[in-house]
Amino acid sequence: MFLQRPFKLGSATLPSNILCAPLAGCSDVPFRRMTSKYRPGLIYCEMVKMDALIRNTAETLRMLEYDPFTHPIGAQICGSKPELAGPCAKMIEEMGFDVLDLNCGCPVDKVTKDGSGSGMLKTPELIGEIIANMVAAVKIPVTVKIRVGWDEQSIVAPEVTRIAEQAGAVAICIHGRTREQAYRGPANWDYIRACREVAKNILIIGNGDVFSAQSAEAIFQHTGCDAILLSRGTMGQPWIIEDIYRHLSGEAPLPRTGLTLRDTLLEHLEHIVGYQVERKAVLDLRRVGCWFLRNGKGVRTMREHLNRSQSTAEIRQMLTDYPWEEIDFAFSCN
């Protein structure tokens, strides 16, 4: 009923309508390699700034690296300068990306201070101008991701939905929180439903508080959205995509145990070790390991050891030797 396989997004045909968001500081090559195993409809690289992209900075280009097997792959740009939108969109298309998204939802101060990210919600017409410039420059589908408004007194999501559609965006993703909320409090899916009601042809993608297969079904049911975008729900449980597929297809969930978690974490470790220099790999593994361990009972000592670890070899040995079968994990997707 809700699952679409395949899913048409403008001129792109995706494997499904279960998509994976660009997560700042998370959606790097190792993370995307893990996610791609479960065949989501689309995987995004991390958001990049137009100003940095147009200058071809090394850090930005590295953030846009991807493996050919991770197609379909999306890129997301942010910025408030219409004159950069077209050239940046063209650069993304020439890199081989399948979909291009404009970020109008990032709540971080360093992004919003120049009017970018969710700062764009204060100037809805500017969003339309930038989208129009992107659409005019490329043949790949252009989409936009927003929050519902700057705060509860300025809910603009339905207005931006109309503007984005007129500008040529094929889809709009709505995170059901305001910028002021950041990630506090529950996402209000009513605002996503309101966007569904004003949309004519533009597709509506629901986002916010999808941490399990059951909540994936619930957001479809509540909002009438065409697709969903998984964000923090993929951190430490990349199999959520498979669980959602099975749940929406009426199939029983696959059993997951502490050993499942161990094997997945070790696989993620190998991807990180193969991609990062040693010191960066250790720091990444400390962070990634805590994602996987967050729902475990009795793993405090392990987390402490992980955060004190000094080498990838030490972390690999610790993960291998740990008595995972004795740990009780709450797998929220089962």
Side-chain angles (χ1 to χ4, degrees):
M1 178 179 176
F2 300 123
L3 182 61
Q4 296 184 45
R5 305 175 88 173
F7 176 62
K8 194 74 173 172
L9 183 68
S11 59
T13 301
L14 309 181
S16 79
N17 57 342
I18 310 301
L19 318 178
C20 291
L23 294 166
C26 301
S27 299
D28 56 10
V29 168
F31 182 93
R32 284 181 267 122
R33 286 173 180 166
M34 290 301 300
T35 306
S36 68
K37 284 182 54 179
Y38 301 95
R39 197 67 174 138
L42 182 67
I43 304 172
Y44 281 96
C45 294
E46 294 179 67
M47 176 190 76
V48 297
K49 296 181 178 180
M50 292 186 200
D51 287 299
L53 177 59
I54 206 74
R55 297 197 312 270
N56 283 303
T57 66
E59 181 182 5
T60 297
L61 295 179
R62 182 169 169 83
M63 291 167 70
L64 292 171
E65 291 177 349
Y66 64 87
D67 298 306
F69 64 80
T70 55
H71 278 288
I73 185 82
Q76 186 186 67
I77 60 176
C78 77
S80 55
K81 299 175 182 176
E83 67 274 14
L84 295 184
C88 286
K90 194 63 180 174
M91 291 175 68
I92 292 296
E93 184 176 55
E94 290 173 350
M95 291 177 187
F97 284 92
D98 301 293
V99 176
L100 173 59
D101 187 72
L102 174 65
N103 181 295
C104 298
C106 180
V108 179
D109 288 341
K110 67 178 181 180
V111 173
T112 62
K113 66 182 180 182
D114 69 351
S116 301
S118 56
M120 295 283 287
L121 299 173
K122 295 182 176 181
T123 54
E125 294 299 332
L126 181 60
I127 295 175
E129 184 180 355
I130 290 177
I131 291 173
N133 288 354
M134 293 165 64
V135 170
V138 297
K139 295 179 180 178
I140 59 174
V142 172
T143 64
V144 58
K145 184 175 188 292
I146 68 170
R147 284 180 173 241
V148 298
W150 184 259
D151 54 33
E152 286 291 336
Q153 286 69 51
S154 55
I155 301 299
V156 296
E159 178 188 359
V160 175
T161 298
R162 287 190 290 264
I163 290 172
E165 181 161 9
Q166 292 168 2
V170 301
I172 181 168
C173 177
I174 303 100
H175 180 144
R177 290 183 176 87
T178 64
R179 187 270 179 180
E180 186 179 55
Q181 277 183 272
Y183 295 97
R184 297 182 298 273
N188 189 334
W189 294 346
D190 289 345
Y191 292 130
I192 303 174
R193 184 171 57 205
C195 294
R196 168 78 280 165
E197 292 168 355
V198 303
K200 294 179 180 177
N201 297 310
I202 192 170
L203 298 175
I204 301 298
I205 303 172
N207 174 243
D209 290 354
V210 180
F211 293 103
S212 68
Q214 290 75 19
S215 57
E217 180 181 23
I219 194 172
F220 273 119
Q221 181 77 50
H222 189 95
T223 67
C225 60
D226 300 288
I228 61 173
L229 186 74
L230 304 174
S231 298
R232 292 174 295 155
T234 58
M235 296 165 62
Q237 52 172 23
W239 52 76
I240 187 176
I241 302 154
E242 182 176 51
D243 285 353
I244 291 171
Y245 284 158
R246 295 181 68 87
H247 181 73
L248 295 182
S249 300
E251 301 175 37
L254 295 175
R256 312 231 184 248
T257 66
L259 295 177
T260 305
L261 195 147
R262 177 201 65 187
D263 293 343
T264 307
L265 183 48
L266 283 170
E267 184 179 357
H268 201 146
L269 178 150
E270 297 304 333
H271 287 311
I272 291 173
V273 169
Y275 185 71
Q276 303 286 20
V277 298
E278 173 70 9
R279 181 56 184 164
K280 181 67 165 63
V282 170
L283 295 176
D284 283 359
L285 283 166
R286 290 176 181 175
R287 175 170 48 88
V288 170
C290 287
W291 299 345
F292 281 89
L293 297 173
R294 63 186 172 187
N295 292 323
K297 296 179 180 178
V299 294
R300 178 179 176 180
T301 300
M302 185 179 185
R303 281 200 300 266
E304 291 173 350
H305 288 167
L306 182 64
N307 287 326
R308 290 198 302 266
S309 58
Q310 297 299 312
S311 72
T312 56
E314 178 186 350
I315 295 173
R316 184 187 291 109
Q317 194 64 52
M318 178 179 62
L319 296 178
T320 302
D321 294 344
Y322 202 79
W324 294 91
E325 64 279 0
E326 300 175 7
I327 302 302
D328 179 23
F329 284 94
F331 291 95
S332 61
C333 300
N334 285 359

